[in-house]
Each structure stands twice: as C-alpha cells, then as structure tokens.
Amino acid sequence: MDASGQSPYSHRMDATTSTRKLGRRPKAVGGEAAREAILDAAERLFAARGFNGVTVRHIGEAAGVDPALAHYYFATKRGVFDAVFLRRAPPLNAERERLLDELEARPADEVTPADVIAAFVEPALERWAHGGPGWKAYLALVAQVNNTPEWGGETMTRYFDPVVHRVIALMRRCLPDAHDVDLYWCYHFLSGALTLTLAETGRIDRLSGGACASSDYPAVSTRLPEAMAAAFVAVTARGRASDR
Amino acid sequence: MDASGQSPYSHRMDATTSTRKLGRRPKAVGGEAAREAILDAAERLFAARGFNGVTVRHIGEAAGVDPALAHYYFATKRGVFDAVFLRRAPPLNAERERLLDELEARPADEVTPADVIAAFVEPALERWAHGGPGWKAYLALVAQVNNTPEWGGETMTRYFDPVVHRVIALMRRCLPDAHDVDLYWCYHFLSGALTLTLAETGRIDRLSGGACASSDYPAVSTRLPEAMAAAFVAVTARGRASDR
DNA sequence: GTGTTTTTTCAACATGCGGTGAAATATGAT
DNA sequence: ATCATATTTCACCGCATGTTGAAAAAACAC
C-alpha cells in the first residue's frame, strides 16, 4: 500500500535518549509528542467509555490533533487501543516481578499469603493512587478488559499471565498442602476484587452513604491483601472431597 | 408526535393473564412474542459485545424481526437496554429477599457469614448455572455494568442497593464488633469476585491449563462463600487504627 | 362483510463512522 | 538554496448508524 521506505507504525521505545544528536534517524520531537498525546487521550476515553464508545475523531479532538494522525501512527483504531494497552504493561509487570523476586529469595516460612498478594496488587494500587490520571485511566481500562467476555480473557492472558503464574507458584510454596484448583479459584476471586476496585465506579460511595470512597488508597491497601489472604487460607485449608 | 390514542411503549406486565378474553384491550399474543424475541436477542448481544458494540439492526436480525420493531416497542436503543436490564432483576432480587428473610428469622448466633454470603450469591449462581442461556447472558451483562465507570455505578445502585443493604445489616448482626466501613469494603470485594465469575471470560481456564472451568458451578458455589466469609471475618476481626 | 386498532414492513433521512490518498508543511542534512 | 524525508492537514470515500413516518398487513369487534 505504501511505497515509502520506512513503514511508520512501529513501537520505538528507543530513540528517546538521542533526540538531539545526529545519527541516521533524527525522528523529530514533535512526532513523539503527538504520538503520546494521542495515546493519552485514547487511554482516558477508552477507559471511560469502552472501545466502541469512542471514535477516532473523539481521540483526535481530545488530543488536539488531526484524527488522521491516529491512522498515521497506529494504522487502525484497534492499533491505537493495543498501543495504549501495551504502553504501561511492562513497567507495571516489572515491579511486580521485582517484588516477587524478593519474596522468592526469602525462606519459604517467612513468606505469608498476604505478602504474595501484596506483591501482586501493591504495584497496581500505588500507581492507581499516586501515578497520576494516566495510570488511573490505564488501570480502569485493564479492569474493564478483565471483565469483558470473549476477547477480554485472551487479551489479559497475553499480557499478564507470566506474573500470575509466579504468584500462584509462590502461593503454593507457602501453602504446601493446597490443591492447585483451589489456588486458581482464589486468584480468580482476588482478580475480581482488585479489578472492581481499579474500575472505581463510585458504587461503594453511594452504597455506604459516603462512609467509603472508591479512591481511598489506604483503605484498600490495608484491607485487600488481608481479606484475600484469609480467603486463600480458608479455601485451601483442608482436603476437598468434591471435584477433580 | 403521535396522534394515536394509545402510546405504544409501556411496561405492561399485566394483560398476560387475560390474553384471550374480551375486555377493552385484546393486545395480541404475536406482539408479546416479538417483544420477548427482541429482548432475548438484545440480552445476548449486549452481554457479549456491550451497549456500543451492538446495533439495532443486529438485534433485529438476531430476533428474526424488523429492526424498526425495536423502536416501536422500546422507543430507543437505550430503551431496549433498560428493558433488558429490568426484566430479570425482580425475580432475582425476590429470591434473595426470601433467603434473607429466612436468615433473619433465625437466631443471630445460628447465622454465619457464609450463610449471608450464600443467600446473596446463590440465587445468581444457580440461575447462571441452570437458568438457561437467557439468565447466563443477563448475569454477564450485570457483571459488565458493575465494572463500568460512570453510569455503571449508578445503574447498579438503582436496581440492587436494597438487597445489598440487607446483606450488610445481616452481616453486622453476626459480626457485632465489625466497623461498617470494613463491612462495605468486604462487600465490595465480594461483589468483584462474584461479577468476575459471572462474566465468564474463560481466563481461569487458560490460566490453569484446563484444570479449572469458568462455567464450573459447583466449584464456585463451594468456594466463593467460604472464601469471602473468611475475608469478612479476617478484616473485621480487630479494631482498626487507621482511617476514619 | 365494514371499520378500528394493533402490529409489521419498508424505504428513506441525516449524521457519523473508520479509513485513504494526495497535497501541504515542517524538519534537518548537505 | 536544495533536496529528501517525516509529519500534518484536508477533502473525500463507501458504508453503517439510530431513528422516523407512511404504508401495508394482521387481528379483532361488530
């Protein structure tokens, strides 16, 4: 379709270091700025209204940019969405891996289920609370995708399964008698509790008559690991007669 | 706009009893059949692809009906959605209320947190497992709305808050030392775990390599109340120094 | 049958959609 | 300045959208 030498759509995470020196690829700072503006706007809009509730024109307008630029950089609307989803996954997972490394280095009897859960949820919760509106929108988007039938499950699998497998493995280590099926189901419950929190629908605010706030990071940070650790312990405590 | 005597869009839950007798309103059985066909098709499509992922033409085609009929019966696409959401809420909540009545009639020390949770989740899980594809789609739709920012929280509040307040009240009765804030947050986690289950994304199937199935009703029914009851107990066990 | 009302079909509307391709502009090397 | 490339703008395409109003068909009362 395009006869130009360089195909435009590519994830260039590099080139940010040498923006002003010469080299064979100057690339332009203006280009990257527009690209990021599109991603930021799309991130916020997709999180608020879902993939089908947003148009390329909305994104362009919100980013202060011609809508056709979205196609120039990402080829298609779905390409914009994928780029949004991809952008913040590596740093988030990297910190999760780092915390899991620390736990793995400790003796097994010095690691509690709450520690493992905290290593999984805390990197997300911390960015959700203190990472700025971009992270907040991104995590709400992840939460939304996690609860979307059909392609939701597959998308989450692709981006987040490796770290989850490590969480399960660590949990297995500190709950040696647990059946794997129980561990998977408990992770499933944990995942649901976490993603509903990140979605920040405001329902708990209304339900509690203002006693609780959807955005209350300390309230979640102290209760979620405690609650779900108890869930893991209770469910895996005894041999189970039924199923499998 | 319309000069005819009877405005067409109205929730007529009556008239089903006297369909064949005379009276001033014969109403027609064909009409109700088409109406239900539209709701069934819309239910399935909205659950699978979300409000904005479905068109009125899709609904008409899936229902085997002219798309304009959707406007004849429900005035607008949003009207179809609201009618879908409304249709199955009363029977679901009615059974929840019935089970909560039973628990309320029992002495407080004979009701466990797991009982209260089961009274809340079991009516949903049972229909999800054995209620047929209509209920399955409906519950997936509820799950999706529950995790939708902005209007998701408000919609859920309107339809489901009364029964949730009764759940909290019963939980307060069997955990007398609990702080209300802790109860609300634990309900929030429970709600997240339940709705992710009902969304049935298939993620746990992939994650577990087939050891777990998203649609495994006994697996959920035995574990979810147990897990979340332990969460309630653990979080509310002690006086909490932080927040509030 | 006639007449009335409800239900269904059909064609069309204004608008907005994702996407395209060429022209215009900016950028930087030589 | 000149040229090549990267970026941005703009007009436009074909198509799908929600919705409408009038006509046709069916259902029913008499």
Side-chain angles (χ1 to χ4, degrees):
Chain A
M1 288 293 180
D2 56 337
S4 63
Q6 292 293 124
S7 81
Y9 343 106
S10 56
H11 306 129
R12 8 185 161 73
M13 304 273 186
D14 50 324
T16 46
T17 56
S18 66
T19 36
R20 217 120 282 287
K21 285 295 175 194
L22 45 96
R24 270 263 51 92
R25 279 285 213 64
K27 226 34 179 201
V29 56
E32 287 301 321
R35 224 184 97 103
E36 293 286 309
I38 290 169
L39 288 180
D40 289 343
E43 187 170 60
R44 180 164 50 85
L45 291 171
F46 282 144
R49 299 188 233 168
F51 181 78
N52 291 301
V54 176
T55 72
V56 180
R57 285 167 172 84
H58 290 153
I59 296 172
E61 188 178 5
V65 141
D66 190 283
L69 262 187
H71 291 99
Y72 175 71
Y73 281 111
F74 306 102
T76 178
K77 182 187 169 190
R78 176 59 190 261
V80 178
F81 185 88
D82 288 342
V84 166
F85 210 87
L86 185 69
R87 183 168 58 153
R88 299 190 199 262
L92 173 61
N93 282 331
E95 183 167 343
R96 281 171 162 166
E97 300 273 10
R98 193 178 60 77
L99 294 177
L100 292 172
D101 286 343
E102 282 183 20
L103 292 183
E104 219 164 35
R106 280 167 30 191
D109 59 346
E110 289 179 21
V111 177
T112 67
D115 292 333
V116 179
I117 293 170
F120 178 69
V121 304
E122 207 45 57
L125 291 179
E126 186 198 296
R127 283 161 177 77
W128 172 66
H130 307 121
W135 272 103
K136 208 152 199 174
Y138 173 75
L139 291 164
L141 182 62
V142 171
Q144 188 180 311
V145 169
N146 193 43
N147 279 66
T148 297
E150 312 204 330
W151 66 288
E154 201 216 329
T155 305
M156 291 298 295
T157 293
R158 201 165 50 238
Y159 288 108
F160 292 108
D161 260 22
V163 73
V164 175
H165 281 123
R166 288 197 63 190
V167 168
I168 300 276
L170 263 164
M171 199 61 92
R172 196 184 289 123
R173 206 180 64 153
C174 58
L175 295 170
D177 296 332
H179 296 186
D180 270 14
V181 174
D182 291 325
L183 292 177
Y184 285 121
W185 277 111
C186 284
Y187 167 76
H188 171 86
F189 300 147
L190 165 63
S191 175
L194 175 63
T195 54
L196 180 57
T197 301
L198 298 176
E200 210 176 331
T201 64
R203 178 153 192 239
I204 196 177
D205 307 52
R206 269 181 289 268
L207 191 64
S208 67
C212 303
S214 291
S215 57
D216 187 346
Y217 164 68
V220 176
S221 182
T222 57
R223 288 178 181 87
L224 183 56
E226 186 177 20
M228 299 315 294
F232 269 89
V233 170
V235 170
T236 62
R238 53 182 169 76
R240 187 171 301 278
S242 59
D243 62 68
R244 296 208 65 81
Chain B
M1 288 296 179
D2 57 336
S4 63
Q6 293 295 124
S7 82
Y9 341 107
S10 56
H11 306 129
R12 11 184 159 72
M13 304 272 182
D14 51 323
T16 47
T17 56
S18 67
T19 35
R20 221 106 300 275
K21 284 297 173 192
L22 45 96
R24 270 263 51 92
R25 279 286 214 60
K27 224 39 182 195
V29 55
E32 287 301 321
R35 226 185 93 102
E36 292 287 308
I38 290 170
L39 288 179
D40 289 343
E43 187 170 60
R44 180 164 50 85
L45 291 171
F46 282 142
R49 298 188 233 168
F51 181 79
N52 290 302
V54 176
T55 73
V56 180
R57 286 167 172 84
H58 290 152
I59 296 173
E61 188 178 6
V65 142
D66 190 284
L69 261 187
H71 290 97
Y72 174 73
Y73 282 111
F74 305 103
T76 177
K77 181 187 171 190
R78 177 59 190 261
V80 178
F81 185 88
D82 288 341
V84 166
F85 211 86
L86 186 69
R87 183 168 56 154
R88 298 189 200 261
L92 174 60
N93 282 330
E95 183 168 345
R96 281 171 162 165
E97 301 274 10
R98 193 177 62 76
L99 294 177
L100 293 172
D101 286 342
E102 282 184 18
L103 292 183
E104 219 164 35
R106 275 159 45 183
D109 59 345
E110 289 178 20
V111 178
T112 66
D115 293 332
V116 180
I117 293 170
F120 178 71
V121 305
E122 208 43 59
L125 290 179
E126 185 198 297
R127 281 162 179 76
W128 172 67
H130 308 120
W135 273 103
K136 208 152 200 174
Y138 173 74
L139 291 164
L141 181 62
V142 172
Q144 188 179 310
V145 169
N146 193 43
N147 280 65
T148 298
E150 312 204 332
W151 65 289
E154 201 215 329
T155 305
M156 290 299 293
T157 293
R158 201 165 50 239
Y159 289 109
F160 292 107
D161 260 21
V163 75
V164 175
H165 280 124
R166 289 197 63 190
V167 168
I168 300 276
L170 264 165
M171 199 63 92
R172 195 183 289 124
R173 206 180 65 153
C174 62
L175 295 169
D177 297 333
H179 295 186
D180 271 13
V181 173
D182 290 325
L183 292 177
Y184 285 121
W185 276 111
C186 284
Y187 167 76
H188 171 86
F189 300 148
L190 165 62
S191 175
L194 174 63
T195 54
L196 179 57
T197 302
L198 298 175
E200 210 178 332
T201 64
R203 176 148 194 245
I204 195 177
D205 307 52
R206 269 181 290 268
L207 190 64
S208 67
C212 302
S214 291
S215 57
D216 187 345
Y217 164 69
V220 175
S221 182
T222 59
R223 288 179 181 86
L224 182 57
E226 186 177 21
M228 298 316 294
F232 270 89
V233 171
V235 171
T236 61
R238 52 180 169 75
R240 188 172 301 279
S242 61
D243 64 67
R244 292 208 66 78

